[in-house]
C-alpha cells in the first residue's frame, strides 16, 4: 500500500533511503533545513573555487556501485571516477614524506624500503583485512542492528578474537617502524575512535585503503550527491530545502506528521536522517528513547576545524590528499578523547581538489581544504580558529618548503559551532558516533523507535556507523525495515 513518508534531512543516508522508499511505490518528500542538499557533504563555491564541505575520500567503491545497481543503474550513469595515484602522501618532516601509490605491489616496496621484511608482512596483513572486508560486506554491515544474533555466522565465529583485540595492538605486533604504524592506523580513524579502541576486525578499512584504492568523482564528492538527487527525482521523490522541522507530531504513540514553520504536514511514516540526538529533541520527552545521560556517555567521533582556502597560485610539493603526521599522534588523540582540549601540536589533513579537477579553481590557482580533528563539544571562538590557522599554515610552509600565506585570496572557516548551527549536530560532531566494540551493530541507537510507531532513524549515529558508504547502507537498511512494517 502506498504510504506518505516525510524524511528529515538530505544527507547521504536520507537521500539513499528516499530512493528505496520511492522505488517501493511510496509518496516520499525530503525536508532539508539548509538551502542546499547533501548535509555534511554540501558544496561551497566562491570566486570560481569549488569545495566539498565534508567528505573527500571516496573509499569502498563497491558500496556505491551496489547502491546504484539496486536501481538497475551504475555509478558511471551519474559521475566519472578517477583513481588517484598517489592515493595520498604522508608528511613526517621537512620535505620528508611517504607516497602511498595506487596498488599493493608498489606499497609493499615502499614498506620494504623502510622496514626490512615488512613488505611480506603487509601482504599477509592485507590478506586478512580482505577476508574481514568480505565478511563485513557479506555478513555484517547490511544488517539492521536489531539482534546480536545478526553478528553470529560461521565466518564471524572464526574471527571472534578479532573483536576483542585492538587494531593498534594488532598492527604493533607485526610492524615496528612508527611511520608504517601510523600509516596503517590511519584508515580506522574514519570510524571515529582511537585505533587502540577500535576492534582489530575493523582492519578491513586497511583493505579499503590499500586494496580498493582512493577514488575521486571527477568534480568532487558533490557529484555523488547530485547523482543520487537525480535518481531520487526520477523515482518521484520531492525535495524541499529551507524546511527546518520543528516538531514530530505524535498521536497515540504513533508519528503522524511533522511541523515546519508552524505548519503541520501529515505523514504515515516519519524518517529522520538528521542527527539522532537532535531528532529526539523534536519529540516530547516521554517519547524519547535515549536520555541526555546516554548520549553524554557515548564515544563520539571528533568535531573538526575546517578551512576552505582559495590560493592565487599553484601549491607545490603536495598531491591531492596530504596527511601531516609530523607531530605526536598519541598526544593529539588524547586531546580529543581523554582530556578534551585544543591540541598544542595538531595533526592535520589537507586536500587540493584542483590538483585532479581543473574546474575546482580558476586557471593557475588552487583550492585548498584543511582539517584539524578536535574533541566534540570543545570551545570554539574566532581567535582560536585564527591561532590554529596560523599554526598549520606555518607548518605547511615549512614542511613543504614554500611560501603560501601571501597567496591566499580568501579563506572560510567552519568549526564546532557551525556543525551545531548548520546540522544540529550533537556537540558539533563531524562524523557521528564512533564504532567501538560497545557501539557496534545492535549496540548502536536503533533504526526504529521503540516508543513511537512509524518513526524511524537513519545516518551516522545509528547502524552501521560513520562515513559515506555506511550512510548509503543505513538508508537501505531503514527503507527495508519501513517496507517490511508497511507490508505487515
Ligand atoms: C569534515 C568531514 C570530513 C569527512 N570526510 C569523509 C570522507 O572523506 N569519507 C567518508 O566516507 N566520510 C567522510 N565524512 C563522514 C560523512 O560525510 C558522513 O558520515 C555522512 O555524510 C553523514 O551522512 P548522514 O546522512 O548521516 O548525515 P548528514 O550529512 O549530517 O545529514 C543530516 C541532514 O539533516 C539536516 N537536518 C538537521 N536537522 C534538521 C531539521 N530539524 N530539519 C530538517 N533538516 C535537518 C541537516 O541539515 C543535514 O542536511 C566526513 C564528514 C565531515 C564532516
Amino acid at each position: 500500500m502506498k504510504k506518505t513518508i516525510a524524511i528529515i534531512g538530505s544527507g547521504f543516508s536520507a537521500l539513499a533511503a528516499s530512493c528505496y522508499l520511492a522505488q517501493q511505490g511510496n509518496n516520499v518528500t525530503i525536508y532539508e533545513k539548509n538551502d542546499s542538499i547533501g548535509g555534511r557533504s554540501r558544496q561551497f563555491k566562491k570566486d570560481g573555487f569549488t569545495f566539498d564541505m565534508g567528505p573527500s575520500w571516496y573509499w569502498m567503491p563497491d558500496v556505491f556501485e551496489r547502491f546504484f545497481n539496486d536501481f538497475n543503474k551504475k555509478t558511471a550513469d551519474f559521475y566519472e571516477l578517477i583513481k588517484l595515484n598517489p592515493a595520498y602522501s604522508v608528511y613526517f618532516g621537512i620535505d620528508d614524506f611517504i607516497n602511498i601509490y595506487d596498488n599493493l605491489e608498489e606499497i609493499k616496496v615502499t614498506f620494504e624500503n623502510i622496514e626490512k621484511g615488512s613488505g611480506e608482512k603487509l601482504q599477509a596483513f592485507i590478506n586478512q583485512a580482505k577476508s574481514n572486508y568480505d565478511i563485513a560486506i557479506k555478513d555484517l554491515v547490511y544488517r539492521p542492528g536489531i539482534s546480536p544474533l545478526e553478528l553470529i555466522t560461521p565466518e564471524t565465529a572464526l574471527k571472534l578474537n578479532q573483536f576483542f583485540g585492538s587494531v593498534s595492538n594488532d598492527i604493533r605486533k607485526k610492524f615496528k617502524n612508527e611511520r608504517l604504524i601510523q600509516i596503517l592506523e590511519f584508515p580506522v580513524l574514519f570510524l571515529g575512535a582511537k585505533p587502540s579502541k577500535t576492534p582489530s576486525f575493523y582492519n578491513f578499512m586497511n583493505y579499503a585503503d590499500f586494496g580498493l584504492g582512493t577514488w575521486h568523482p571527477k568534480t568532487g564528492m558533490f557529484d555523488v550527491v547530485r547523482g543520487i538527487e537525480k535518481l531520487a527525482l526520477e523515482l518521484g521523490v520531492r525535495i524541499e530545502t529551507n524546511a527546518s522541522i520543528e516538531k514530530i507530531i505524535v498521536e497515540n504513540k504513533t508519528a503522524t506528521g511533522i511541523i515546519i514553520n508552524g505548519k503541520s504536514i501529515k505523514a504515515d511514516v516519519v524518517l529522520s536522517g538528521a542527527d539522532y540526538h537532535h531528532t529526539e529533541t523534536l519529540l516530547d520527552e516521554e517519547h524519547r528513547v535515549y536520555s541526555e545521560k546516554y548520549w553524554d556517555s557515548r564515544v563520539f567521533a571528533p568535531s573538526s576545524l575546517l578551512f576552505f582556502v582559495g590560493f592565487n597560485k599553484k601549491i607545490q610539493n603536495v598531491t591531492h590528499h596530504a596527511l601531516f603526521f609530523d607531530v605526536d599522534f598519541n598526544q593529539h588523540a588524547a586531546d580529543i578523547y581523554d582530556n578534551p582540549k585544543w591540541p598544542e601540536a595538531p595533526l592535520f589533513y589537507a586536500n587540493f581538489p584542483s590538483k585532479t579537477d581543473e574546474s575546482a579553481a580558476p586557471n593557475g590557482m588552487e583550492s585548498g581544504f584543511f582539517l584539524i580533528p578536535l574533541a566534540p563539544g570543545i570551545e570554539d571562538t574566532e581567535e582560536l580558529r585564527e591561532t590554529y590557522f596560523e599554526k598549520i599554515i606555518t607548518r605547511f610552509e615549512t614542511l613543504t618548503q614554500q611560501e603560501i600565506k601571501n597567496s591566499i585570496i580568501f579563506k572560510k572557516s567552519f568549526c564546532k559551532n557551525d556543525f551545531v548551527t548548520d546540522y544540529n549536530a550533537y556537540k558539533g560532531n563531524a562524523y557521528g558516533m564512533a564504532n567501538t566494540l560497545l557501539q557496534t551493530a545492535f549496540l548502536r541507537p536503533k533504526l526504529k523507535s521503540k516508543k513511537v510507531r512509524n518513526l524511524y532513524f537513519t545516518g551516522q549515529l545509528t547502524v552501521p556507523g560513520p562515513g559515506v558508504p555506511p550512510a548509503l547502507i543505513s538508508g537501505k537498511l531503514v527503507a527495508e525495515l519501513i517496507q517490511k512494517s508497511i507490508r505487515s
Side-chain angles (χ1 to χ4, degrees), residues 7-15 31-34 36-42 52-60 64 190 205 221 240 242-247 260 272-275 278-279 282 302-306 308 321 349 351 369 371 414 419-425 429-432 458-462 465-472 474:
I7 301 186
I8 307 175
S10 67
F12 274 115
S13 59
L15 284 171
Y31 299 92
E32 165 57 51
K33 80 182 268 292
N34 293 320
S36 63
I37 64 161
R40 283 162 164 87
S41 195
R42 281 184 300 162
D52 283 313
M53 289 187 70
S56 51
W57 300 76
Y58 187 104
W59 275 11
M60 305 169 73
F64 294 83
F190 282 110
M205 291 297 287
M221 285 297 271
E240 284 189 27
N242 295 310
S244 182
I245 312 297
E246 291 148 22
K247 183 117 190 126
I260 306 175
S272 178
D275 271 31
H278 165 70
T279 305
L282 302 175
S303 185
S304 294
L305 170 58
L306 314 176
F308 310 99
H321 293 293
Y349 155 61
N351 80 59
F369 166 106
L371 180 155
F414 195 96
F419 280 102
V420 175
T421 314
D422 284 14
Y423 308 126
N424 289 318
N429 78 79
Y431 329 103
T458 184
Q460 58 181 1
L461 272 68
T462 173
V468 177
L472 298 180
S474 188

Side-chain angles (χ1 to χ4, degrees), residues 40-110:
R40 283 162 164 87
S41 195
R42 281 184 300 162
Q43 195 178 51
F44 167 58
K45 279 178 179 267
K46 187 174 162 65
D47 301 344
F49 294 85
T50 304
F51 305 86
D52 283 313
M53 289 187 70
S56 51
W57 300 76
Y58 187 104
W59 275 11
M60 305 169 73
D62 50 325
V63 173
F64 294 83
E65 208 55 62
R66 186 162 163 180
F67 169 76
F68 285 106
N69 289 172
D70 283 342
F71 303 90
N72 294 322
K73 308 269 186 197
K74 45 192 189 309
T75 51
D77 296 332
F78 297 94
Y79 51 90
E80 186 187 330
L81 280 172
I82 296 164
K83 194 173 191 200
L84 298 181
N85 193 22
Y88 55 96
S89 315
V90 190
Y91 284 77
F92 294 99
I94 298 172
D95 217 6
D96 177 11
F97 59 89
I98 295 176
N99 279 335
I100 299 298
Y101 293 101
D102 76 341
N103 64 86
L104 187 57
E105 285 314 308
E106 264 184 283
I107 302 171
K108 276 162 59 184
V109 172
T110 305

Side-chain angles (χ1 to χ4, degrees), residues 1-295:
M1 207 171 72
K2 191 170 173 156
K3 297 281 177 187
T4 296
I5 301 179
I7 301 186
I8 307 175
S10 67
F12 274 115
S13 59
L15 284 171
S18 78
C19 293
Y20 288 105
L21 291 166
Q23 185 189 40
Q24 290 151 0
N26 299 296
N27 180 7
V28 182
T29 307
I30 285 179
Y31 299 92
E32 165 57 51
K33 80 182 268 292
N34 293 320
D35 59 8
S36 63
I37 64 161
R40 283 162 164 87
S41 195
R42 281 184 300 162
Q43 195 178 51
F44 167 58
K45 279 178 179 267
K46 187 174 162 65
D47 301 344
F49 294 85
T50 304
F51 305 86
D52 283 313
M53 289 187 70
S56 51
W57 300 76
Y58 187 104
W59 275 11
M60 305 169 73
D62 50 325
V63 173
F64 294 83
E65 208 55 62
R66 186 162 163 180
F67 169 76
F68 285 106
N69 289 172
D70 283 342
F71 303 90
N72 294 322
K73 308 269 186 197
K74 45 192 189 309
T75 51
D77 296 332
F78 297 94
Y79 51 90
E80 186 187 330
L81 280 172
I82 296 164
K83 194 173 191 200
L84 298 181
N85 193 22
Y88 55 96
S89 315
V90 190
Y91 284 77
F92 294 99
I94 298 172
D95 217 6
D96 177 11
F97 59 89
I98 295 176
N99 279 335
I100 299 298
Y101 293 101
D102 76 341
N103 64 86
L104 187 57
E105 285 314 308
E106 264 184 283
I107 302 171
K108 276 162 59 184
V109 172
T110 305
F111 269 54
E112 191 63 32
N113 288 339
I114 296 170
E115 180 181 316
K116 201 162 167 8
S118 66
E120 277 318 299
K121 284 185 195 157
L122 181 64
Q123 180 69 62
F125 180 69
I126 294 297
N127 289 348
Q128 189 205 46
K130 179 180 185 315
S131 147
N132 289 356
Y133 187 87
D134 292 342
I135 291 171
I137 291 291
K138 184 165 127 311
D139 290 326
L140 300 180
V141 292
Y142 284 92
R143 307 279 160 154
I146 295 171
S147 144
L149 297 177
E150 290 168 12
L151 299 183
I152 300 166
T153 70
E155 283 89 354
T156 54
L158 291 173
K159 304 257 180 185
L160 209 56
N161 60 335
Q162 288 187 39
F163 284 92
F164 296 100
S166 78
V167 164
S168 185
N169 278 346
D170 204 23
I171 292 170
R172 278 160 205 278
K173 266 189 231 147
K174 298 181 171 73
F175 303 89
K176 295 285 161 265
N177 182 281
E178 262 316 309
R179 292 179 174 196
L180 300 186
I181 289 171
Q182 270 186 279
I183 291 171
L184 288 170
E185 285 184 341
F186 155 65
V188 297
L189 296 180
F190 282 110
L191 303 173
K194 282 203 278 195
S196 59
K197 297 278 183 215
T198 306
S200 43
F201 182 79
Y202 284 101
N203 70 8
F204 64 72
M205 291 297 287
N206 291 98
Y207 176 68
D209 179 1
F210 290 176
L212 298 174
T214 299
W215 299 77
H216 187 68
K218 190 155 187 272
T219 67
M221 285 297 271
F222 198 69
D223 280 358
V224 188
V225 174
R226 264 198 226 101
I228 302 182
E229 178 194 27
K230 183 163 181 266
L231 175 65
L233 295 174
E234 279 170 20
L235 291 163
V237 174
R238 289 185 341 112
I239 301 178
E240 284 189 27
T241 50
N242 295 310
S244 182
I245 312 297
E246 291 148 22
K247 183 117 190 126
I248 297 171
I249 307 167
V250 178
E251 293 164 307
N252 244 339
K253 295 189 178 162
T254 306
T256 58
I258 49 174
I259 300 182
I260 306 175
N261 296 329
K263 195 174 138 224
S264 304
I265 296 173
K266 288 224 156 290
D268 301 310
V269 173
V270 175
L271 164 61
S272 178
D275 271 31
Y276 208 119
H277 169 270
H278 165 70
T279 305
E280 286 221 315
T281 67
L282 302 175
L283 296 164
D284 291 337
E285 208 157 333
E286 60 184 303
H287 297 130
R288 298 177 194 167
V289 174
Y290 302 100
S291 64
E292 286 300 322
K293 206 167 142 208
Y294 168 85
W295 292 113

